[in-house]
C-alpha cells in the first residue's frame, strides 16, 4: 500500500541540505518556518488539543481522505514530486551548459544544451504550473482555474509561504537576476517544444496540463506564470527580496558562497528537495484542517 500524505510527512528529513536551505531562506519570511515532520504533532497543533484519542480520530479520517481516489491530495503530492525530480535533473543540465560553454572540446555538447536562462525559465514555469495544478487538485477545481489560484496566493501562510519564497529566490532571482519577473515572459516566448521536452518534469506533467501538444502546454504555462507573477512581484516588494539577500540568508545556514549567483541556484537545484519537502508539509496541513473540520 502506498504511503499516505501523513506517512510522507513523518518521513521528511529533520536535517540536511534541504532543511538548511529552507531555514536560511525562511529568515527572510516573517513567521519563519518550523519544519513540521511529525503528523501527530501537526494534528495537535491544528486541533489545539493533544488528547491522544482525538489525535487518532483525526489521523484516521485524514488517512481515509488521503487514500480516496476521488480526492486530490495524493495527486497533489505527485505533482510536487514530479517537479522536484526535474529540479535535480535540470540543475545538472544547467551545470553542463555553464561548463561546456568554456570548453572547446565539448562545444558539440554545449550546442545541444539549452541556454541557461531559457532552461531556467521553462523549469520555473513548470514549478508554477505544478503549484497551480496542486492547488486545483486539493480544492476540487478545474486545472485552468487561474483566477482562483491568483486569489488564493494572498492567503498562503506558513510552509506554503516559505515554499514560494524559496521558489522566487532559488528559481528566479538567483539564476535570472533581480529583474527576473520582468524577463520571464520574454524568455518563455523563446522556449521551443523540443527544449520543453528535455525537462523530465514535462514528461510527467504533460498528461495533466490542459490542452494538447507542446504549444498548447507552453501557452498554459505562460498563463500560469502570468497569474502568479503579479502576486510574486508584490511578495518580493513586501519582503525586500533580492538575489543578494538570498545569498546572505543562505550563507547563514550553508556557509560562505564564493561563486556566481546562478551557480548557487544550480547547486540548490541539483542537491536539495525544497519544493517537494514544503509541498508535502502544505498538503498535509490542508488535509489535517479538513479532517479536523469533519470529525
Amino acid at each position: 500500500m502506498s504511503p499516505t500524505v501523513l506517512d510522507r510527512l513523518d518521513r521528511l528529513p529533520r536535517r540536511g541540505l534541504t532543511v538548511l536551505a529552507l531555514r536560511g531562506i525562511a529568515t527572510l519570511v516573517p513567521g519563519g518556518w518550523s519544519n513540521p515532520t511529525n503528523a501527530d504533532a501537526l494534528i495537535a497543533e491544528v486541533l489545539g488539543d493533544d488528547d491522544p484519542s482525538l489525535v487518532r480520530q483525526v489521523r484516521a479520517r485524514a488517512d481515509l481522505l488521503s487514500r480516496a481516489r476521488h480526492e486530490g491530495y495524493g495527486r497533489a503530492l505527485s505533482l510536487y514530486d514530479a517537479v522536484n525530480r526535474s529540479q535535480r535533473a535540470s540543475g545538472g543540465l544547467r551545470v553542463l551548459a555553464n561548463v561546456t560553454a568554456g570548453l572547446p572540446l565539448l562545444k558539440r555538447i554545449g550546442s545541444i544544451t539549452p541556454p541557461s536562462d531559457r532552461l531556467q525559465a521553462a523549469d520555473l514555469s513548470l514549478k508554477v504550473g505544478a503549484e497551480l495544478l496542486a492547488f486545483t487538485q486539493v480544492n476540487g477545481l478545474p486545472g485552468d482555474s487561474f483566477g482562483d489560484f491568483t486569489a488564493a496566493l494572498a492567503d498562503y501562510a506558513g510552509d506554503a509561504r516559505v515554499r514560494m519564497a524559496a521558489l522566487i529566490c532559488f528559481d528566479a532571482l538567483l539564476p535570472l537576476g533581480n529583474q527576473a519577473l520582468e524577463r520571464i515572459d520574454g524568455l518563455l516566448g523563446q522556449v521551443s517544444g523540443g527544449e520543453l521536452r528535455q525537462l523530465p518534469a514535462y514528461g510527467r506533467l504533460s498528461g495533466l496540463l490542459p490542452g494538447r501538444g507542446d504549444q498548447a502546454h507552453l501557452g498554459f504555462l505562460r498563463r500560469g506564470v502570468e497569474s502568479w507573477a503579479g502576486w510574486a512581484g508584490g511578495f518580493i516588494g513586501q519582503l525586500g527580496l533580492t538575489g543578494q539577500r538570498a545569498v546572505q540568508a543562505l550563507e547563514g545556514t550553508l556557509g560562505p558562497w564564493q561563486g556566481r549567483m546562478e551557480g548557487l541556484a544550480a547547486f540548490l537545484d541539483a542537491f536539495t528537495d525544497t519544493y517537494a519537502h514544503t509541498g508535502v508539509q502544505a498538503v498535509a496541513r490542508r488535509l489535517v484542517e479538513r479532517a479536523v473540520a469533519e470529525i
Side-chain angles (χ1 to χ4, degrees):
M1 184 179 294
S2 60
T4 66
V5 171
L6 295 186
D7 290 336
R8 290 282 305 274
L9 182 71
D10 282 332
R11 296 175 187 178
L12 288 178
R14 293 173 173 81
R15 58 182 63 87
L17 282 175
T18 293
V19 174
L20 289 172
L22 287 167
R23 287 200 188 284
I25 217 66
T27 62
L28 303 176
V29 182
W33 176 68
S34 61
N35 189 31
T37 57
N38 183 291
D40 289 349
L42 176 62
I43 292 169
E45 177 193 332
V46 173
L47 274 171
D49 190 331
D50 60 359
D51 178 76
S53 64
L54 194 54
V55 168
R56 283 195 297 271
Q57 288 180 54
V58 173
R59 180 154 193 162
R61 179 60 182 165
D63 287 346
L64 186 66
L65 291 169
S66 180
R67 291 194 174 102
R69 291 189 176 183
H70 63 282
E71 300 291 350
Y73 298 103
R75 290 189 294 276
L77 288 193
S78 70
L79 289 161
Y80 289 124
D81 286 339
V83 293
N84 205 72
R85 286 191 289 269
S86 174
Q87 179 174 320
R88 292 186 172 222
S90 66
L93 285 172
R94 287 215 313 281
V95 169
L96 177 62
N98 290 334
V99 170
T100 57
L103 297 177
L105 291 178
L106 296 179
K107 279 185 177 179
R108 187 169 184 180
I109 296 176
S111 70
I112 62 173
T113 303
S116 193
D117 286 357
R118 287 212 302 270
L119 182 64
Q120 179 57 44
D123 188 56
L124 173 60
S125 76
L126 286 166
K127 289 188 175 74
V128 173
E131 185 73 22
L132 166 58
L133 292 171
F135 165 78
T136 61
Q137 289 291 333
V138 168
N139 291 282
L141 297 170
D144 58 353
S145 300
F146 298 105
D148 292 315
F149 174 60
T150 302
L153 286 167
D155 296 325
Y156 270 32
D159 315 309
R161 196 168 169 85
V162 170
R163 183 174 63 261
M164 288 296 99
L167 175 65
I168 289 168
C169 291
F170 300 169
D171 294 276
L173 301 180
L174 287 177
L176 298 175
N178 292 335
Q179 303 304 312
L181 296 187
E182 288 77 5
R183 300 179 59 204
I184 187 67
D185 189 66
L187 289 168
L188 288 175
Q190 300 171 30
V191 174
S192 69
E195 288 172 329
L196 188 63
R197 287 192 298 274
Q198 292 189 39
L199 290 172
Y202 178 62
R204 300 185 184 101
L205 292 177
S206 59
L208 298 172
L209 296 174
R212 294 186 178 182
D214 300 337
Q215 292 308 309
H217 293 161
L218 278 167
F220 169 81
L221 293 171
R222 289 181 74 177
R223 284 192 65 192
V225 169
E226 181 182 1
S227 69
W228 170 83
W231 172 85
F235 190 64
I236 288 171
Q238 177 188 7
L239 300 187
L241 299 178
T242 64
Q244 292 78 8
R245 287 197 70 205
V247 171
Q248 292 169 1
L250 290 166
E251 286 182 326
T253 54
L254 294 175
W257 177 264
Q258 298 179 349
R260 297 167 62 89
M261 286 195 293
E262 55 266 39
L264 178 55
F267 169 80
L268 293 166
D269 264 355
F271 297 109
T272 67
D273 300 319
T274 55
Y275 211 62
H277 190 101
T278 54
V280 170
Q281 291 172 333
V283 173
R285 184 174 293 276
R286 290 296 303 274
L287 174 64
V288 167
E289 289 170 347
R290 179 175 168 186
V292 167
E294 291 185 0
I295 64 167

